[in-house]
Structures are given as C-alpha cells and as structure tokens.
C-alpha cells in the first residue's frame, strides 16, 4: 500500500443511484487467437466507483478500453448510457464524447498549450464557442489546482501536473462516466498523491468512475466495489472491506499478499 | 565509533560559474584545442582552408567584367595583372545574366515575370511566417492562377475557368453529400471538377473570350528558361507534392484495402523509376496516350511528373513522421470523440509534420535541384542555357564561371530553405 490517504473522505455525496450507467453482458474479446477477455458480465450503477485490479496481462486495461471502443469486442453486448456499442460509428462517437478517459502515460497533446489541450474537444466536437470553452477549461484547471499553468506546454509540466491536466481535459467534455487506466503507474511516488486527491474529489462529487489501479489505499477508501481479474475473467468482486479483509478465492489471496506486502 | 549523522543547517547560495567555464577563451579551448589530437586537426584544417582560399580568391578577384568574348577576357586579364595571370571571366555573367534568369522570355515583358515573383513572395509569406495577417492567405489561394496568367499570358478566362472547377467541386460536394453521405460527396467533389477541366474548361474559356475579349500578350512555353523556369517548376512541385504526399501517406495507412493498395502501388512504382525516365515519358510518350489533337504544354507535363515523383518520396517521409507518433496520441484523440479527419488535422498531422520537417525540407531542396534535369529533355533551364552559351563561339570553353554562378543561385535558394527549416523547428519546439 504505497499511498495512505490521510484526508477524511466525505461519502455523503457519493450516492449510488439505481440508474444503470454501463451494462456489459457476455462480452468476449480476442487479440488474434488469444482469448483476452472471457465472458465478462458487469453492471455499473450511476455514481458507482469501481476499482479493477489484477496481475498484469489479466485484461483489466483491455476491459475498460472496450467501454469507449478503443478496443473492439467480438462477442456480447456493451451498453453505455443506454447506447449500444456497435460498429455504427455514430454510436461510438456519442459514447466517446460522454465517457472520459485518463491514460497511464497522460497522452496530452505536446504541440498544444495546456489551455488548448482542454478546449480542443469542446470546440471541435461539442461546437462550444471558443470563449465559453476557455471559461470551462479554466474552471476545471482550477479544480485540479493548476490554473496558473494554462499557457505552458505539457513538456514543461511535471508528471503529476500532466496527469491532472489530462483529468481536466477529460472533464471539459463534461462526461458522465470517467475511465482511469492506471493513472498513477507512470508517476514518481511523491506525485501520486496529488493525482489521487483529484480523483477522490471527483468521486466525492458523484462521478461514475472505473479505475484500473494498484493503489489499494485508494480502493479501500473510495471504491464501493473492487473487482479482481485474472486470465481475462472476473475472479472476484466485493465491497472493499470484504475484499481486503476476507478474500474468497485463492488467486485473490495470493495477489493481495504479493501486492500488500511490499 | 565515529558519528555518521549529519544535518545541513543552511542551504548554499547560487554562485557564478568560474570565468574559465564561459567566454571566448573557454569556447576556443573546448571546441578547438581540447586535446593534442584535436589541436592537430584544428591546425591542419586552418592550413587546408587557407591554402584553398589562397588558390581560389585571386582567380575570383583578378577577373574581367567587361569583355565580350573569352579571348578578350584573357587578354585583358594578362594586360592588367601581368603575364601568366589567370582569372575568372565574369563578363560572361554580365553579358548573359538576363538570359540565365529569364531564358528567352520577351525582354519587354520581363516586368510580368518580376511581378509574378513578387506575387510569389507575398503569397508564401503568410504560409511561412505566423506574424503575417491571415487575410493574406486569400491572396495566396488566388496567386497560382494570377501567376499563371502573368507568366503565360493569353486569355484571362482560362485560369478563371480552372478556378471555376474548384468552385464546381465544392458545389458538387455540398449538393451530393447532403442526400448521399460524405463519401459520395467526396467522390463527386473529385469527379465533377476533373470532368470540367478535361472536357469543358477550354471550350468555355475560348467561348467567353470571343464574347468578352480579355487577354494579355501570350508567351509560349518554348520561350521559358533560366532560373525562372527552375523556380516555376520547383515551386509548383513543392507546393503540390506535400499535400499529395500527405494524402498518399494516410492512404497507405488506411484500413480500406483498395485505397491502401493503390497508394502503395503508386508510391513503390514512382520510387522505383528514375526521374529522368519520367521526364522522357513527359516529353515524348505522354502525347501518345492523350487524345489526338490535344496540345498539352511541355512545362505543364514536366510539372506533373516532378510533382508525382516528389510526392511519392514525400509520402514516405510523412509516413515516417506518423510512425514516430506514440499510439497514445491517436487514442487520446479518439477518446475525446474527435473523428478521423479532425484527429488527423488537429492532433496527428501537426505533430507528424513537425517531426518530419528536416526530411521534408530535404526533399524540397532535392526537388528544386532536380529541376535541372529538365535540360536533358531540351528545356532551357540554367544548365541547358549554359550549354547553349558555351556553344556560342565567343564563349566557347568557359566552364567555371557559368557553373559557379548557377551553383551560387541554387545555393542561395537551398540554403535559405535549410535555414528556414531550422527556424521552424526552433519555433515549434514545445518541450523543456
């Protein structure tokens, strides 16, 4: 557990509604002939914060990348916000504009300033007027606590700052669901906290979040469900208390003992 | 037992670097005399450069500027600098520089070439420098047609009817894409103007000319020559090969098998054939494939071939830039909901082209110098002209002066392009 979150977490806002945000049924995916995701069934309620963990190669990143069609699934059904992901490009674009994604390596656009990174998609996808888009961008940059960096370029920022910009960039599209693909794995230890703090703040505001991470402290304190994956399958899922305190499957026990002991 | 505990109580202030680490002396020591081997190399290089200059400079400056033939030149040099003196005969440049610049363009119409050249400079300024007002880009868009009309003259309805083709293409796109989708719209936007240019543009232009005659004195392609010809072909090739190359590079990466195969086939075929071959095709074979009776200007044909040749190379350069981009950039663009063309235009291409700037400009420079190959198919570019000048009895035997002058002119242009590329790279650098 590399990072301990000291702050008192306000769970009163983190209500889970009955509305379904994401529904995945019997989903299968192959990379060539390699069966990478096997019979995935997952329902995410609006407002839920789900942490997905598991050993590398278990398919956890692939799973959340399927949700905004960065990877194509071959069998089964994914419904995001009532729209089914299919080969219909209109649906794909609609889902992508409602689902924010944060990557391990930030993937900021290095040729654009921080502000332009944040206003690009609102201007070109949502057709927001430039001035309004800039106001929105500054609002979210303030939220992730780096409004003073707006005119710099990504290459001039630290890793933690870049990741917070990446979060702000996603938020500028005002998504209803946020996906995080190992957001802190590429960061120096002292920068992990600032990114996790931003994510906790988001969770407190009731954002639906799917987070692939190894930050078990984050999982314990913010998630209301932890999913453990291995060999392309969901092996175990439970509330964090139960998951960490009383893991059921042997595979989970082994994984937890390895990740928590070092 | 020693105490290994240590706590710093005050942080050290920043100090200036010692004088031996900065300044001219430091530079000389680090860069020229950093060791015995380096020192020997420095001294050898100084000796080499000095003896080169010692040999060349007298030739350059003990020269004749006023003679009217090579023999007269030699006599005047001997008369002025003593028996056995040899020097350059710059008189040939003085006498023939207009020809080297304009070819056989009618001298009373030189102003049209000059005006076209100024127009060219104005047109490329907003493309090259961000500080120029963006409205000048409208002039840039109109300039190819204006310059064409200035150089070749003739009826103004011809360039205007070519412009009309673009307008028709746009109208076709708008009309077709609404009911039939953007793919059909794109095809229509391609087919309609091509059909217009091939079948209707010329008759319409001559029809309009007979109704409203608006023409300037026309100059035929055979009178084009010199640097003006090189610049005309070179600039056309440069301006067209980059966009065509980008389209080919994207096509080569396409998921659509047909598009990909066509692009790969085109690129590999063109790259596998020498430019000379293509120029011979342009000068002789192309007429065989065209419908009888069509006259297809030789310079236009050469321009097409040079452009195609260069765009195949450009496609590979741009592909290299695309390949150098991390996949995350595509994914970030996708995940924000940008569609393919927007992602290409806003995210991918600006970065891919930036990476490829050195190679792209290298290609441009190569293309510009390759325009001298047109002398082989009989066009009178500077090289072609130098041959014909030497064929003249007065100047028979003159070599260095002509080629030196031509080399200097090419060097100025190519060196400027290289410098501009460095400026652009510096400007676009957004890292630390």
């Amino acid at each position: 557990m590399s990072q301990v979150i000291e702050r008192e977490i306000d769970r009163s806002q983190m209500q889970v509604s009955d509305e379904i945000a994401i529904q995945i049924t019997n989903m299968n995916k192959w990379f060539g002939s390699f069966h990478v995701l096997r019979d995935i069934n997952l329902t995410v309620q609006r407002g839920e914060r789900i942490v997905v963990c598991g050993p590398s190669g278990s398919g956890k990143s692939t799973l959340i990348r399927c949700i905004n069609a960065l990877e194509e699934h071959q069998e089964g059904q994914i419904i995001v916000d009532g729209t089914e992901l299919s080969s219909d490009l209109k649906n794909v674009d609609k889902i992508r504009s409602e689902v924010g994604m944060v990557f391990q390596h930030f993937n900021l656009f290095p040729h654009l300033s921080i502000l332009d990174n944040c206003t690009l998609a609102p201007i070109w996808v949502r057709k927001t007027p430039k001035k309004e888009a800039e106001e929105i961008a500054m609002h979210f940059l303030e939220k992730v606590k780096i409004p003073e960096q707006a005119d710099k370029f990504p290459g001039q920022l630290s890793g933690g700052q870049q990741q917070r910009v990446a979060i702000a960039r996603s938020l500028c599209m005002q998504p209803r669901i946020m996906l995080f693909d190992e957001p802190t794995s590429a960061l120096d230890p002292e920068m992990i906290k600032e990114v996790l703090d931003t994510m906790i703040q988001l969770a407190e505001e009731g954002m639906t979040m799917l987070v692939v991470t190894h930050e078990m402290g984050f999982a314990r304190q913010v998630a209301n469900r932890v999913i453990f994956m291995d060999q392309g399958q969901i092996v175990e899922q439970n509330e964090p208390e139960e998951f960490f305190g009383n893991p059921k499957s042997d595979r989970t026990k082994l994984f937890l003992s390895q990740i928590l002991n070092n | 037992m020693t105490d290994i505990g240590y706590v710093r109580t005050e942080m050290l202030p920043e100090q200036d670097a010692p004088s031996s680490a900065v300044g001219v002396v430091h530079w000389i020591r680090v860069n020229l005399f950093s060791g015995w081997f380096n020192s020997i190399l420095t001294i050898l290089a100084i000796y080499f450069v000095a003896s080169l200059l010692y040999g060349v400079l007298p030739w350059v400056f003990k020269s004749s500027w006023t003679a009217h033939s090579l023999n007269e030149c030699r006599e005047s040099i001997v008369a002025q600098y003593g028996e056995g003196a040899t020097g350059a005969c710059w008189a040939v440049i003085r006498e023939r520089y207009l020809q080297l610049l304009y070819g056989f363009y009618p001298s009373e119409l030189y102003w049209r070439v000059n005006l076209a050249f100024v127009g060219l400079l104005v047109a490329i300024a907003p493309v090259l420098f961000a500080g120029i007002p963006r409205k000048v880009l409208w002039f840039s868009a109109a300039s190819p047609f204006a310059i064409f009309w200035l150089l070749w003259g003739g009826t103004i309805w011809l360039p205007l009817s070519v412009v009309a083709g673009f307008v028709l293409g746009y109208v076709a796109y708008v009309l077709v894409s609404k009911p039939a989708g953007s793919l059909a719209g794109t095809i229509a936007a391609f087919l309609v103007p091509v059909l217009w240019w091939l079948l209707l543009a010329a008759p319409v232009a001559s029809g309009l000319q007979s109704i409203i005659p608006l023409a300037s004195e026309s100059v035929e392609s055979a009178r084009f020559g010199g640097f003006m010809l090189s610049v005309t072909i070179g600039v056309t090739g440069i301006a067209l090969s980059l966009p065509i190359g980008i389209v080919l590079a994207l096509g080569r990466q396409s998921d659509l098998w047909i598009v990909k195969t066509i692009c790969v086939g085109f690129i590999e075929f063109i790259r596998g054939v020498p430019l000379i071959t293509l120029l011979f095709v342009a000068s002789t074979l192309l007429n065989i494939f065209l419908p009888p009776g069509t006259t297809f200007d030789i310079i236009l044909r050469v321009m097409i071939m040079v452009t195609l040749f260069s765009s195949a190379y450009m496609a590979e350069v741009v592909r290299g830039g695309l390949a150098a981009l991390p996949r995350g950039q595509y994914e970030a663009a996708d995940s924000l909901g940008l569609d393919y063309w927007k992602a290409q235009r806003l995210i991918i291409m600006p970065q891919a082209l930036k990476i490829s700037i050195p190679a792209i400009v290298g290609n441009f420079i190569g293309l510009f110098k390759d325009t001298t190959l047109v002398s082989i198919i009989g066009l009178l570019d500077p090289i072609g002209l130098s041959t014909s000048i030497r064929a003249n009895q007065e100047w028979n035997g003159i070599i260095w002066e002509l080629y030196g002058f031509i080399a200097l002119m090419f060097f100025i242009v190519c060196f400027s392009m290289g410098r501009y590329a460095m400026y652009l790279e510096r400007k676009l650098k957004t890292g630390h």
Side-chain angles (χ1 to χ4, degrees), chain A residues 138-183:
Chain A
M138 286 314 290
H139 169 73
F140 284 109
L141 285 174
E142 265 158 41
K143 196 162 188 170
V144 301
K145 301 194 179 67
I146 32 178
E148 71 282 0
Q149 313 280 9
D151 294 326
K152 291 196 179 165
F153 285 93
Q156 298 166 316
L157 268 54
S158 74
Q161 290 174 323
Q162 289 195 43
Q163 192 60 298
R164 285 185 284 150
V165 171
I167 293 173
R169 178 177 72 178
S170 291
L171 291 176
C172 285
M173 287 294 279
Q174 303 183 319
R176 307 182 63 173
I177 301 166
M178 285 287 284
L179 309 174
F180 293 84
D181 188 359
E182 306 209 20

Side-chain angles (χ1 to χ4, degrees), chain B residues 288-425:
Chain B
I288 299 172
F289 296 120
L290 291 169
T294 38
T295 52
F296 200 34
D297 190 88
I298 177 69
I299 294 181
L300 193 58
R301 279 181 274 164
V302 166
M303 279 176 178
I304 291 173
M305 284 307 178
V306 169
T307 303
L308 293 184
F309 184 78
S310 175
S311 56
Y313 281 89
M314 204 57 77
E316 290 299 283
V317 165
V318 174
R319 189 167 71 101
L322 288 172
L325 271 199
R327 223 171 93 88
Q329 292 292 312
Y330 293 86
E331 290 179 349
D334 282 348
S335 74
L336 287 171
L338 293 165
D339 64 30
Y340 177 80
W341 290 109
K342 281 182 193 150
Q344 288 297 340
R345 182 154 66 96
L346 301 167
I347 309 296
I348 307 302
M349 271 309 150
Q351 296 185 64
L353 293 180
K354 184 184 135 191
I355 297 171
S356 330
I357 285 172
I360 289 175
V361 174
N363 255 5
F364 284 167
I365 290 174
L367 183 155
F368 186 60
K369 291 189 297 182
D370 278 354
T371 57
T372 52
L373 287 174
V374 299
S375 60
I376 289 182
I377 57 168
L379 292 186
L380 291 173
D381 83 311
I383 300 290
L385 277 173
S386 76
T387 316
S388 71
I389 290 173
R390 272 186 292 120
N392 188 310
Q393 206 181 352
E394 271 105 54
W395 300 112
N396 196 344
I398 201 152
I399 297 174
W400 292 98
E401 293 83 348
L402 279 174
Y403 286 138
F405 177 71
I406 293 166
L408 181 71
M409 296 295 278
F410 273 98
F411 178 79
I412 290 171
V413 175
C414 296
F415 184 70
S416 314
M417 283 200 257
R419 286 277 122 176
Y420 174 74
M422 288 171 72
Y423 155 80
L424 197 59
E425 275 183 87

